[in-house]
Amino acid sequence: MRRTISLYLRFISIQLRSQMQFRASFWLDVFTTGLLNFSYFVSTYLVLERIGNIAGWSIAELAFLYGMIEVSFGTMDMIFSGFDPDVFSRFIRLGALDQVLLRPVNVLAQIFGSAFVLRRIGRITQGAVVLGFAFAHLGVHWTPLKLLYLPVVMASQVAAMGALFMAGSTLSFWTLQRVEAINVVTYGGVEVMSYPSTIYPRWLRGFFTYLIPFVFMNYYPALFFLDKPDPLGMPGFAPFLAPLAAGLMLFVTLRFWRFGLSRYQSTGT
Amino acid sequence: MATIIRVRKLHKQFQVLVRRAGLGGALVNLVKPRYQVVRAVNDVSFDLQAGELVGYLGPNGAGKSTTIKVLTGLLVPTSGEVVIGGLVPWQARERYVRGIGVVFGNRTTLWWDLPVIDSLELLQPMYDIPRERFRSNLAEFTRLLDLEPFLNTPVRSLSLGQRMRADLCAALMHEPALLFLDEPTIGLDVVAKEHIRQFILHINRARGVTVLLTTHDLSDVERLCERVLILDRGQLLYDGSLSSLNHRFESFWTLKVDFEEEYGDVALPGLEPPARTGLQAVYRFDHRSVPSAELIARLLERFRIADLEVRRPPLEETIRRIYQEKLLEREDADKRA
Amino acid sequence: MNMRLFFHVLKLAVLQQTTYRTALIAGLVTNFFFGLFRAAVITALYHQQGQINGLTLEGAITYVAIGQAMISFLFLFGSYDLMMTVYNGSIATDLIRPMPLFSLWLAKDFGAALVNLLMRGVLLLFFFGLFYKVALPPRAADWLLTALSLLLGWLVSFAWRFLVNLTSFWTPDARGIGRGAFIFSQLLSGFLIPLRLYPDWFARICHLTPFPAMFNTGMEVYLGAVRGAELWRSLGIQAVWFAALAGACFAMMRAGVRRLVIQGG
């Protein structure tokens, strides 16, 4: 295990070194991706200047929802770069997975180490800025439990969305092409999570509660942090389901991944 | 000698989707896919002894790559038994790959953006190679493969020949007992090819590494291999030495003779009259019924001769005929009948 | 300009684009679901209000639906094809064709846009209509004017994207520049949020740029929010922006090609 981790770190340092070869374009990329995502928040902000609130959530409260999920998604997108379905499907098509299988190192560690897109810090930074704005305007009533639970929630978000990336990548064992429809739950999931769940139609909310339990990742924890009542009448422990739901997603995905990999080894695509 | 590779009744089948054309066809494909079974490897058995250097030949699509992928653990076969160095390749993957080296001619294992030396140094922790061994191996391979001039060049800027040399070095740093080479000279020029071949011979002879090599280039095989396996459409057609292959199939040799004077015929049982042009005669004869030495002796005895040239058909010709005329299959059928 | 050549390239582009069927369907699915997500946000924005700044809820939902349907027709997320040809060198063969670079790409772009409109846009609106009430222009004349305005919108979008791509003649970082530039077009064109929902001061800033002419104008025409003289003025503004951007393209191209030729690519 220690050997695997130290090798993973070496793989990552290689990635970082080759990305820093083109320093100017790197920083331009960081800046523009940050700006792109920020513009989405700005457009919501501007509309709220006219309208006041969305489903009873003020701009600062929305900023909390948005900022938290953006920081987590950016972090996930960086750590799980190798499992980005776009990246991984190309990886398979180029036959790079064969090289991975020929090395005496854990396969997952190698895929995690095969890409680490550092320029995602642009997205993370803008998320952090918005989150900072939220904290500055909200006056959250912090308790020790809240302070302890915040990092747990964000780690759960990273794990849950990473699981979806992995699931999307696993599909390319069959298709060899990227499965674009997975974007609906990955990028779409982030979009959905950045607003209060009550605004979505029942069926969509059901989908993101029971099939892909994203409502427990952001909305319910936010209710807890901001001491807002739950209009949907879920049990009181709902805000604390995030780590459980994320663990479950990761577990199921890993099983699926293993199944996909064994399928790859029997079809020789 | 110890058996290092044991393959018995290896089968690998693929299901291939039969695609129907057009938009309508694409829809039908989705709803009711039709599959066709392709037997990429069909009942192949062979053994390799430690220290052998064996060529694995066959036309495109014969199943060479599939076999190599099974032997390296990348593919799980449909049925059959493979034991290599006491392990089943597709089980215990991490342990198995520690003991083998693999080079695919059309791909690299090295990190594209990194200088060659960085990729090589990464192998030390990856394979847990003792530092001393690592350093001495690196020094030796660097010298043999002449890597020094481009050790600090990023892999993406290497020529194909340089890259292949670096890849060979990378495949051997952990001192595997067994080396798989898939088309190691593909796309290389004559000089680069020769360099690679010398190196392969060296590690086989000096280090006793067992080598299984697939190639299109029969000059590789002639230069390197004593034993060849010939595969066609998934089936093993031939397993034996290169010289006996020559002996069995290169039956017609030609003898070109330039005489210094008017000449007559020599008579030997089974010898056809030559094609004549002026003072030159070209005999075409079956060397199994007409020994070439005897024919030449007869000619020298009776006539004054300016020049002689015996030509055997090149190996390529033989192999081509084996595939096209299905020589081996017919022979097997004869045996069975 | 040689019209026969133009239509020939257009036809090739259409055929080319129809071969990307899987991508078309995949894009359709993604655009559709994001449309649903965005419609939910719009609905929440309106909660009890019947209309905001002259735009009804149904109008705003229609606006979002058509926006999603037009992503692939107007290439609202930008396009990077021309800069690719500069970086991989294939622009050299395009430069020696008997057709100006601008019209060549105009034809290519229009071909792809048309296929996207028919195969992605129309289908998306159909499916969206199953979930939400999508308003339709009442009279035949409105349909015609909408078509004209969307066509002008596509021209403005094309010229803008062409201009951004031309930066690749000068810098190896055109992709990054493009990403930055296309953020502005998304935000200021009204694609993210109808411009009427923005505060007035911000909407006024938007209208100083060419971007509303890409999308917002077409939508206002579609929804019947502009009529009579104001409508003709809107169409006129679209045409003027296209002319201005195209002019900038030609000026930049002349300088860029000279530079490219001198440097030998």
Side-chain angles (χ1 to χ4, degrees), chain B residues 185-198:
Chain B
T185 60
I186 198 161
L188 303 186
D189 63 51
V190 186
V191 181
K193 273 183 186 171
E194 186 50 29
H195 196 162
I196 302 259
R197 287 173 191 157
Q198 273 178 17

Side-chain angles (χ1 to χ4, degrees), chain A residues 3 7 10-11 14-15 17-18 21-22 94-107 110 262 264-269, chain B residues 12-14 69 72-76 93-94 97-98 100 102 104 107-111 113-114 118 121-122 124-128 156:
Chain A
R3 175 175 159 270
L7 280 169
R10 289 187 79 129
F11 293 146
I14 288 174
Q15 292 299 326
R17 244 188 302 162
S18 40
Q21 281 178 354
F22 309 98
L94 292 174
L97 191 64
D98 286 353
Q99 306 297 349
V100 161
L101 291 170
L102 290 172
R103 293 186 194 124
V105 183
N106 179 283
V107 173
Q110 289 191 71
S262 73
Y264 173 83
Q265 287 182 296
S266 58
T267 51
T269 37
Chain B
K12 181 68 197 177
Q13 303 177 351
F14 296 114
K69 281 186 168 182
T72 50
L74 296 175
L75 270 184
V76 180
R93 182 191 69 80
E94 284 185 38
V97 295
R98 272 174 192 277
I100 61 166
V102 186
F104 290 111
R107 283 186 216 144
T108 181
T109 45
L110 307 167
W111 272 258
D113 289 319
L114 287 192
D118 291 10
E121 274 173 354
L122 198 59
Q124 191 269 324
M126 202 188 296
Y127 286 89
D128 300 312
R156 62 179 134 80

Side-chain angles (χ1 to χ4, degrees), chain C residues 64-77:
Chain C
V64 165
I66 304 231
Q68 292 301 110
M70 290 297 141
I71 287 175
S72 59
F73 171 69
L74 297 174
F75 299 94
L76 289 167
F77 296 148

